[in-house]
Amino acid sequence: MNAPLSSALYTLTRQHSSDDADPLETAEWRDAFWSVLGTQGPKRVSFILGELERLASESGVAWNAPLGTPYVNTIAADQQAPFPGELSLDEKLGAIMRWNALAMVVRANAAYGELGGHIASYASAADLFEVGFNHFFHARDEAGSGHLGDLVFFQPHSAPGVYARAFLEGRLTQADLEHYRQELGGPEEGARGLSSYPHPYLMPDFWQFPTGSMGIGPISSIYQARFMHYLTDRGLVNCEGRKVWGVFGDGEMDEPESMSALTLAAREKLDNLVWVVNCNLQRLDGPVRGNGRVIDELEKLFLGAGWNVIKTLWGSDWDGLFARDSTGALTKALSATVDGQMQTFAAKDGRYNREHFFGQNEELKRLVEGLSDEQIDQLRRGGHDVVKIYAAYAAAAKHKGQPTVIFAHTKKGFGMGTAGQGRMTTHSQKKLDADDLIEFRDRFKLPLTDEQVTALEFYKPPADSPEMQYLHQQRRGLGGYLPARYTHCEPVSVPEFEKSARFYAGSEGRELSTTMAFVRMLGSLLKDKELGPRIVPIVADEARTFGMANLFKQVGIYSSVGQCYEPEDIDSILHYHEAKDGQILEEGISEAGAISSWVAAATSYSAHGVAMLPFYIYYSMFGFQRIGDLIWAAADQRPRGFLIGATSGRTTLAGEGLQHQDGTSHLAAATIPNCLAYDPAFACELEVIIDQGMREMMVEQKDVFYYITTMNENYAQPALVPGSRENILRGAYVYANFPVESYTEDAARVTLLGSGAILTEVIKAAERLQEMGIASDVISVTSWSELARDGERHQCARLQGQALSSDPFIADVLSTTQGPMIAATDYVRLVPESIRAYLPSSRSYLTLGTDGFGRSDTRARLRRFFEVDAQAVVNAALVSLGRL
C-alpha cells in the first residue's frame, strides 16, 4: 500500500470501534500485533493470523476474514521494484503513441464520418501497454534467446494505439495509418488497410488473437495459458518462462465468459497468466458501477476464485499525501467514494476536486494545503504512472502458484481535457476541435506546431533521437516486435488412407452409428507414432455418452496434478484415468471452456510453432447455437482442427426433445468462410472426409477447419462407392440407382437427395418407389454448404463476365439423373434450399426438413411428425410427378 502499514490497519480498526466491548483489551491485542510485526516481520504475522483463524473455526466461532483490502495500492511505495528504464523516454513515447492514435481516428472520421473508431479507451490504457511493450512482453526469438514468445491479448478498442506503436517501429507506414478502417480502399492506393479491432484473419502476420467481442479474450487467455501447461507436461513444447498477458476492460468483466473460468485458472495454478484490468470505471454509456466500486467487487471475486490480486490505484503523486495521512482520512474518503462520483472527479478540474473531494473534512483539506489547483489536477491515478505499473507487472511476473490480476485505476479519455476526459460520451468521441487538439498537445508536451496539430500530422521522431533508439533497444532486449503472428511450423505426416481406413469396405452387416465409427477411427489415429501424439481429444463431460470411455485407459485424461484418488470404477477395464501426461481434455460442463481449449490447440501451429490436431466432440445443438460467437472468433484465428457435432439432427436424438435436438447447425456453419461443414450418412464417407481434413491441415497446412455431424443411430454401414472420394469431398455423389423393369424414357423417374440421418429414409423411399414402378437415383449429399459455395463461385464468375467451361458441380452430378428432384434432411429446409439456384432450371425441386421445435418421442414418430421419413419422401415424389 502507499500508506504506512500501521496507518492503514489503524484505519480499519477504527471503523469497528463502536462495537468494541473492551477497548483496553483491544489495544493490548493491537500492541501485540505491532510488536510481532516490528520484530519478526509479515511472515510471522501471517502464520499467527492463520493459527487464530484455524482455532476460531475449530471452536465453532462463525468468523471468516473479510475479502477485500482498503482502496489503496497493494504494493507499498517502499516495496516497489526499482524502475529499470529511462522514465522520461517511457513517458515521451507514451505521449507520441497517444497523439498518433488520436490523429489516426480523427483523420479517418474527418474524411469519412461513417468509419468510427475509438480514442478514449487507448487514452486510458496507453501507459499500461507501453510498460508492457518496453519492459515485459517477450516476442518470439528463435534465432537468439530461443524464447518462444509471450501471448498478448489486447483490449480491442485500444487497437489504434498498437498501430501507432507499429508505425514508430517501422512495421506500418504513414499511408497505412491513413487507411485505418479502410481495408478495401487501402490496398487500392498501395497501402495496408488496418482492421478496426484485432483480427488475425484480416491481418494474418500482425494480430494473434481476436478480442473485439467482449468476454472472448478473457476466457481464451485462460485456456491458452492452460494449454501451454498441457504442452509442457506432455513433453511436446517447453513453455516455461512464457507468459499470457491480457489487457481487458472493467466493463468487460460483466460478460459471463470473462468470469466463467476464473476458478479453473486458480485450480490449475496458472502462474503464467497475468490479467491487467483497465479500470477506467466507464462502459460505453456511463459508469460501470455508478453506485458502487467495481474494483472492490472484482477484487472479492478474484480473491474468492483463488487469484493473486494487485491493485494499482494511485500514482506516485499520491505517495506524499498518504505518508502525511496519519489519521487514515484519505483512505477512508477514497473507500467511500462511489465510481459515479469518481468519474465526475475525473471530468472536473483541480479546483472542483479541491472543493468537492478534499473539502469533505478538515483532515483532507490540510493534506492539500500546499498544493495548487493545477497540482491537484495533475494527481495521477495508478494506471497512468509507469513507475507504479512497472512495480505491479514485476510483482505479477515473478509470482508463483497463482494467476495474477492487476486492477489499474485510470481515467477514460485521459488527457482529452474538456473534450472527453471522464465524460459520459467519451467512448464515442471521434472528433476534436482545434482548441481541444492544442490542449492535448500541451498536456503531453508534444513537439508539434499549432499548424501541425490542426492538420493532424503524424509525428515520428528522427531515427537517431533518444526516443527511437530507446524504443528499438527495449524491443530488441525482449526478442523483437509485437504483436506478430507466425505461421511456420513443420508439417506432420498422416497415415495412408488405404492402411488406416477401417470402414471403406463397410461394416460387413454389423450395425453401428457414425459417432461410434468416429470414436474407433480416433482410437486408431491415436496409435499412429507421428500423428497420434499431436491429436487433442476434447469433450465437455460427454465422453461416456459418445462411447469414448475406452480412450481413458488408452491415452488418459490430462490433469496437471495427475490422479490423487482411486476412482470408484478402478476395477473396470474402462475406468476413469487422469494423468499428468494425459491426452484428453475433459472440460466438464462447459461448452465455452471446451471450445476455448479447442481454439488453443487449433492455433498451436501459430502460437507455439507446433501443429496440433484437436477433435472437439459435443452435442451438435451445443455448438454453433450455444457458443457460436466463440466459434466465429475461432475462425478469425485461422484454426486447424475438427469440430464433431455428435448426436446431430432433429430426429436422431429421439428422447431428448427441444433443447437438445439440432436442426440448424449446418446453417450457422455455412456462414463461416473457412469452415468446411459435412453431414455424412455413412462411416466410409466420414473416413474420407477426416482423411482429407488431416492432409489439408497437417500436411498442406491450410487455414481451414472442419465441422462434421455424426449420429447415434445404428445401422449397417455400406462400403465406399468406387470412384466417389472426390465427389464426397465436393459435396455430393450418386450413391445408387434404383431402376425398374422395362424402363423407358417416358417412364416415371425421380432424383432423391438426402444427407446424414435421413439418407437411410431416402433409400427406403427409393425402394418403395421401385416397387411402385417408379425409378430413382439416390444422391448422397455430404455437404450442402460446399455445394452452395461452389454454385456461388460459379455465379460470381458469370456476373463478372468470365467465360465458363462447366456448370456448378451439383448440376454436373445431377446431369446423369432425370425427373423431379426431392431433397430431405434432418435439418430445417433452408439447408437443402441453399442449392436451389444452382440446380437444372428445367426440373422441379421440393425440399423436406425439420422446421420448428423438436419433440421427445421415437425416431419413427418424430420423422413422421416432421414429414422426413420414407413415406414423406415417397409422397413428395408422387406430388412432383403429379400422381398425388
Side-chain angles (χ1 to χ4, degrees):
M1 299 176 187
N2 282 320
L5 186 59
S6 57
S7 297
L9 288 174
Y10 177 60
T11 301
L12 292 177
T13 56
R14 286 186 64 199
Q15 292 173 359
H16 299 282
S17 60
S18 60
D19 299 325
D20 195 345
D22 191 342
L24 182 61
E25 182 182 37
T26 303
E28 292 174 353
W29 277 93
R30 191 179 297 120
D31 290 342
F33 174 88
W34 295 127
S35 175
V36 174
L37 179 61
T39 58
Q40 300 184 58
K43 189 173 181 179
R44 178 62 178 166
V45 170
S46 297
F47 174 80
I48 291 175
L49 290 174
E51 282 295 295
L52 290 174
E53 184 175 13
R54 182 182 62 81
L55 287 172
S57 177
E58 291 177 353
S59 302
V61 177
W63 180 87
N64 290 298
L67 288 174
T69 57
Y71 206 69
V72 294
N73 292 349
T74 301
I75 302 173
D78 61 357
Q79 296 175 352
Q80 293 174 183
F83 185 74
E86 295 187 41
L87 182 58
S88 63
L89 295 180
D90 271 83
E91 292 177 337
K92 285 181 180 179
L93 285 170
I96 296 170
M97 307 301 177
R98 277 191 171 92
W99 169 258
N100 287 335
L102 178 149
M104 185 191 326
V105 176
V106 177
R107 284 171 68 109
N109 283 279
Y112 308 96
E114 65 202 82
L115 289 178
H118 302 277
I119 302 170
S121 291
Y122 178 71
S124 70
D127 296 303
L128 302 176
F129 284 114
E130 286 308 302
V131 171
F133 277 123
N134 287 333
H135 305 284
F136 291 95
F137 299 163
H138 280 270
R140 186 180 295 190
D141 186 23
E142 295 172 318
S145 66
H147 198 291
L148 290 179
D150 293 339
L151 307 183
V152 186
F153 289 75
F154 293 96
Q155 189 178 19
H157 295 105
S158 295
V162 182
Y163 294 141
R165 166 168 270 270
F167 168 59
L168 259 62
E169 293 169 339
R171 298 196 296 145
L172 294 177
T173 67
Q174 179 169 322
D176 296 334
L177 266 59
E178 290 170 347
H179 289 88
Y180 170 60
R181 292 196 170 196
Q182 298 168 63
E183 294 165 272
L184 301 178
E188 291 176 358
E189 299 182 28
R192 180 173 191 171
L194 303 181
S195 62
S196 54
Y197 305 123
H199 290 301
Y201 192 87
L202 300 173
M203 298 179 68
D205 62 338
F206 194 85
W207 295 114
Q208 279 189 295
F209 307 108
T211 53
S213 188
M214 298 290 98
I216 286 179
I219 190 173
S220 297
S221 71
I222 289 174
Y223 281 89
Q224 284 284 0
R226 200 276 293 268
F227 192 71
M228 288 166 70
H229 280 213
Y230 173 89
L231 291 173
T232 300
D233 289 340
R234 291 194 55 220
L236 295 169
V237 182
N238 185 357
C239 295
E240 293 177 0
R242 301 172 66 194
K243 294 285 186 183
V244 177
W245 297 85
V247 183
F248 309 117
D250 49 356
E252 186 174 5
M253 295 298 104
D254 282 344
E255 289 286 1
E257 292 88 353
S258 297
M259 297 285 107
S260 64
L262 295 186
T263 53
L264 177 137
R267 184 170 69 247
E268 296 289 309
K269 298 180 174 59
L270 300 182
D271 51 15
N272 60 337
L273 176 65
V274 180
W275 280 12
V276 181
V277 180
N278 177 21
C279 297
N280 57 35
L281 313 184
Q282 189 171 332
R283 297 189 300 248
L284 275 66
D285 293 332
V288 178
R289 294 290 184 276
N291 297 303
R293 284 179 299 280
V294 70
I295 293 175
D296 287 348
E297 182 181 318
L298 291 175
E299 180 185 26
K300 292 175 183 177
L301 281 169
F302 279 82
L303 286 173
W307 286 53
N308 174 44
V309 175
I310 298 174
K311 294 193 295 188
T312 303
L313 308 183
W314 312 110
S316 301
D317 311 315
W318 292 79
D319 286 346
L321 298 179
F322 281 111
R324 296 197 300 273
D325 180 27
S326 58
T327 65
L330 182 56
T331 301
K332 183 177 180 180
L334 292 170
S335 298
T337 303
V338 297
D339 285 354
Q341 188 62 43
M342 195 69 75
Q343 182 193 11
T344 300
F345 291 145
K348 301 298 184 179
D349 59 15
R351 181 178 179 181
Y352 180 93
N353 283 280
R354 180 192 295 278
E355 294 176 1
H356 292 83
F357 179 76
F358 291 105
Q360 294 180 66
N361 56 56
E362 292 302 318
E363 293 169 309
L364 291 175
K365 286 180 182 178
R366 283 195 294 271
L367 285 178
V368 295
E369 281 179 349
L371 300 181
S372 66
D373 289 347
E374 183 180 1
Q375 287 174 312
I376 291 175
D377 193 46
Q378 294 294 317
L379 288 173
R380 287 175 296 176
R381 296 183 180 178
H384 301 308
D385 186 327
V386 297
V387 173
K388 296 294 184 184
I389 298 168
Y390 180 86
Y393 284 17
K398 70 179 183 181
H399 187 76
K400 300 297 181 184
Q402 292 173 290
T404 294
V405 61
I406 297 168
F407 296 120
H409 193 190
T410 65
K411 295 179 181 180
K412 192 157 189 175
F414 179 63
M416 292 173 65
T418 56
Q421 181 170 287
R423 301 287 176 181
M424 291 286 192
T425 57
T426 192
H427 185 81
S428 300
Q429 190 77 32
K430 299 168 180 56
K431 299 179 181 179
L432 288 87
D433 60 29
D435 290 340
D436 294 327
L437 293 169
I438 290 171
E439 182 183 355
F440 188 95
R441 176 204 63 188
D442 295 343
R443 170 68 178 79
F444 292 105
K445 301 180 176 61
L446 291 159
L448 297 169
T449 66
D450 289 356
E451 291 74 18
Q452 288 174 313
V453 169
T454 54
L456 293 166
E457 289 188 16
F458 294 114
Y459 176 65
K460 188 173 186 177
D464 60 352
S465 66
E467 296 94 330
M468 294 297 285
Q469 290 183 350
Y470 180 75
L471 178 143
H472 291 294
Q473 171 189 316
Q474 294 302 106
R475 286 314 311 167
R476 283 195 297 268
L478 291 167
Y481 300 97
L482 285 175
R485 182 177 176 274
Y486 304 90
T487 58
H488 174 74
C489 70
E490 293 298 321
V492 179
S493 66
V494 301
E496 294 181 20
F497 179 75
E498 290 74 12
K499 294 182 179 179
S500 63
R502 303 184 61 177
F503 296 100
Y504 67 91
S507 59
E508 300 177 345
R510 291 177 291 109
E511 294 190 347
L512 77 160
S513 67
T514 51
T515 295
M516 184 52 63
F518 162 75
V519 172
R520 294 183 184 179
M521 294 175 202
L522 182 62
S524 178
L525 292 171
L526 284 165
K527 296 175 183 177
D528 185 77
K529 290 184 178 180
E530 184 164 357
L531 178 66
R534 303 297 185 92
I535 292 175
V536 185
I538 303 170
V539 289
D541 203 47
E542 293 290 353
R544 295 186 190 275
T545 299
F546 302 139
M548 296 175 64
N550 61 308
L551 298 183
F552 293 167
K553 185 175 181 180
Q554 181 179 341
V555 294
I557 299 164
Y558 173 71
S559 167
S560 60
V561 296
Q563 188 156 315
C564 305
Y565 62 95
E566 184 177 280
E568 171 274 330
D569 59 352
I570 188 65
D571 295 327
S572 168
I573 193 172
L574 303 179
H575 66 81
Y576 203 77
H577 172 57
E578 298 185 72
K580 193 167 184 177
D581 62 350
Q583 202 160 341
I584 301 170
L585 288 174
E586 214 283 15
E587 301 298 2
I589 304 176
S590 175
E591 283 83 9
I595 192 65
S596 296
S597 270
W598 182 85
V599 173
T603 57
S604 178
Y605 75 94
S606 172
H608 311 294
V610 173
M612 303 295 288
L613 187 64
F615 289 85
Y616 172 30
I617 308 95
Y618 58 92
Y619 271 36
S620 61
M621 188 65 159
F622 302 145
F624 288 90
Q625 174 160 314
R626 183 163 184 165
I627 49 170
D629 197 17
L630 280 160
I631 297 176
W632 183 259
D636 195 346
Q637 296 172 73
R638 298 173 176 258
R640 301 170 185 172
F642 291 94
L643 297 174
I644 307 297
T647 62
S648 70
R650 187 150 280 162
T651 66
T652 57
L653 196 60
E656 293 288 330
L658 186 152
Q659 194 71 43
H660 289 64
Q661 293 171 353
D662 167 30
T664 58
S665 66
H666 277 283
L667 276 183
T671 66
I672 301 178
N674 52 344
C675 174
L676 280 67
Y678 290 91
D679 185 34
F682 302 128
C684 58
E685 299 172 346
L686 175 64
E687 208 155 36
V688 167
I689 295 163
I690 289 179
D691 177 74
Q692 177 67 14
M694 292 190 302
R695 295 183 191 285
E696 287 188 343
M697 293 182 281
M698 301 300 282
V699 180
E700 300 169 24
Q701 299 189 18
K702 292 183 179 180
D703 292 344
V704 296
F705 68 102
Y706 279 58
Y707 173 58
I708 307 174
T709 42
T710 62
M711 286 76 71
N712 67 338
E713 181 179 1
N714 293 324
Y715 44 81
Q717 299 292 331
L720 185 66
V721 174
S724 63
R725 178 186 173 92
E726 180 182 352
N727 287 6
I728 286 173
L729 297 172
R730 295 188 68 178
Y733 69 100
V734 178
Y735 169 73
N737 307 113
F738 291 83
V740 294
E741 293 182 9
S742 63
Y743 177 79
T744 65
E745 289 188 3
D746 297 329
R749 192 177 188 92
V750 295
T751 301
L752 308 179
L753 298 86
S755 70
I758 300 303
L759 183 59
T760 55
E761 296 292 330
V762 170
I763 295 169
K764 291 176 187 176
E767 293 169 347
R768 293 183 189 177
L769 289 169
Q770 189 178 43
E771 293 172 358
M772 299 167 64
I774 299 173
S776 66
D777 301 292
V778 173
I779 308 296
S780 175
V781 177
T782 51
S783 177
W784 299 98
S785 57
E786 286 303 294
L787 294 177
R789 286 172 180 171
D790 173 79
E792 289 164 7
R793 288 190 291 269
H794 189 275
Q795 184 181 72
C796 182
R798 287 188 62 191
L799 293 173
Q800 293 175 357
Q802 297 178 19
L804 301 174
S805 59
S806 65
D807 292 325
F809 173 68
I810 184 58
D812 284 342
V813 172
L814 293 168
S815 65
T816 61
T817 69
Q818 297 177 24
M821 301 171 291
I822 296 91
T825 78
D826 215 11
Y827 296 87
V828 296
R829 287 183 177 87
L830 282 175
V831 173
E833 284 289 335
S834 65
I835 67 169
R836 179 181 288 275
Y838 318 116
L839 301 176
S841 58
S842 60
R843 298 165 64 182
S844 65
Y845 183 58
L846 192 155
T847 59
L848 307 177
T850 54
D851 296 68
F853 288 120
R855 302 289 195 279
S856 297
D857 214 308
T858 64
R859 290 192 185 102
R861 286 194 176 121
L862 289 173
R863 289 170 181 169
R864 181 86 293 274
F865 172 79
F866 284 110
E867 297 184 337
V868 292
D869 62 356
Q871 188 57 51
V873 175
V874 168
N875 292 345
L878 296 176
V879 167
S880 297
L881 291 168
R883 296 191 179 186
L884 187 67

